[in-house]
Amino acid sequence: EQQTRRLLDAILASSADAIFAKDLEGRYLLANPAGAETLGLTVEQLLGRRDDELLPPAVAATLGAVESRVLAGESLANLEQRLPLSGGERTYLTTKVPLRDAEGAIVGLFGIARDISERQRQEAALRAAEATAARLQGELRWKEALDAAGHGVWEWDIRGGQVEFSPTIARLLGLEPAELSPDLDAWLQRQHPDEREAIAAQLRAALASKQGHYEARHRVRHRDGNWRWFLTRGLVSERGPDGAPWRMIGTLTDITAWQ
């Protein structure tokens, strides 16, 4: 019996999971250091006390509702429980079973709880990364389709003032991709002098509108020195928490033949 007790004590002390037992009144009969630490207490401070003495009323009531089922004879495995504790909300994967005496009568409950908060955060981050990758892959496909159809694609980082141009835009102007500066002001300088001010005003109006839609017909100088007509369309694709525009994406189409 002493050997069994020493083994039990070793398991309780070394386990990273919270291990506990309660009587029919909900008083802690057994707890290991990990379980007590969950509540910010020592084992000695936890033993003999109930959850309604240790936790906010709403949390104690939630735990009590679950544990009343266990005391009625139900065994609960892999139950997720979210607890708003002093260090922030934590999620535990819990197993709770009835504790019975030698005659089989229920005298309390026994439970093991594993903190899975970090795992859940990692899984949520992974899901977000996968969603972003899927979105980017989708964007890449339609950008490639537009490029293949002869429409240049651009994306403007509004806060940084930088514009990313697809290779098609450089080709439409008779340039190499490296010759197109990502600076927005440099792009505006390529516009016909008679239209620069109007283009800037149209961009400002688009950013100020709820729809965030931009469309302009304008001229841009080709490498050969001639002015070519283009149709530019854009739409705000990302906004900040306050609704401020962060990114705009759009197309550039050569319409010289239509003029």
Side-chain angles (χ1 to χ4, degrees):
E1 183 177 344
Q2 288 183 346
Q3 185 176 3
T4 301
R5 180 64 190 183
R6 285 197 296 271
L7 178 60
L8 176 60
D9 288 342
I11 293 172
L12 291 174
S14 62
S15 175
D17 296 336
I19 301 174
F20 55 90
K22 298 179 181 179
D23 65 15
L24 292 174
E25 302 301 321
R27 291 184 290 263
Y28 282 91
L29 301 172
L30 170 75
N32 67 337
E37 187 179 348
T38 296
L39 302 180
L41 301 172
T42 64
V43 172
E44 291 73 20
Q45 292 171 322
L46 188 60
L47 295 180
R49 301 175 72 183
R50 301 187 308 269
D51 286 330
D52 59 8
E53 300 176 272
L54 304 166
L55 299 169
V59 179
T62 298
L63 291 174
V66 171
E67 293 179 357
S68 64
R69 294 163 55 190
V70 179
L71 294 176
E74 187 176 353
S75 294
L76 302 175
N78 298 324
L79 176 70
E80 281 194 20
Q81 292 188 292
R82 290 180 174 83
L83 301 181
L85 302 173
S86 58
E89 185 176 86
R90 312 293 298 179
T91 303
Y92 293 89
L93 191 64
T94 306
T95 294
K96 295 182 179 181
V97 297
L99 192 62
R100 300 176 185 271
D101 62 16
E103 285 72 38
I106 296 175
V107 295
L109 64 85
F110 175 79
I112 300 176
R114 173 165 295 179
D115 189 338
I116 59 170
S117 308
E118 184 58 33
R119 189 186 79 187
Q120 286 195 326
R121 279 194 291 270
Q122 291 173 352
E123 289 174 348
L126 178 60
R127 288 194 296 270
E130 289 173 342
T132 299
R135 177 179 61 81
L136 292 176
Q137 188 175 31
E139 287 183 1
L140 181 61
R141 282 196 294 268
W142 71 256
K143 286 179 182 179
E144 289 174 343
L146 285 170
D147 263 351
H151 302 281
V153 180
W154 52 269
E155 189 167 4
W156 176 25
D157 176 359
I158 298 168
R159 292 175 297 171
Q162 301 289 292
V163 186
E164 180 183 338
F165 298 99
S166 71
T168 296
I169 291 181
R171 180 175 56 77
L172 291 173
L173 298 175
L175 303 172
E176 295 296 326
E179 295 180 272
L180 266 180
S181 169
D183 184 71
L184 177 63
D185 290 335
W187 172 250
L188 291 175
Q189 289 303 310
R190 290 185 176 275
Q191 316 304 305
H192 194 285
D194 294 345
E195 294 152 9
R196 290 173 191 162
E197 188 174 331
I199 290 171
Q202 286 174 292
L203 277 173
R204 288 194 296 270
L207 297 182
S209 70
K210 290 184 179 179
Q211 294 76 19
H213 180 260
Y214 167 72
E215 182 172 319
R217 286 174 170 78
H218 55 100
R219 287 168 286 181
V220 185
R221 189 184 294 277
H222 193 273
R223 179 188 286 279
D224 62 14
N226 293 317
W227 293 101
R228 301 188 65 86
W229 280 94
F230 289 91
L231 171 64
T232 296
R233 290 191 173 103
L235 185 68
V236 172
S237 59
E238 183 181 355
R239 295 182 181 273
D242 60 353
W246 281 5
R247 301 189 78 82
M248 177 179 275
I249 194 165
T251 59
L252 184 77
T253 305
D254 189 334
I255 59 171
T256 305
W258 306 349
Q259 300 302 309

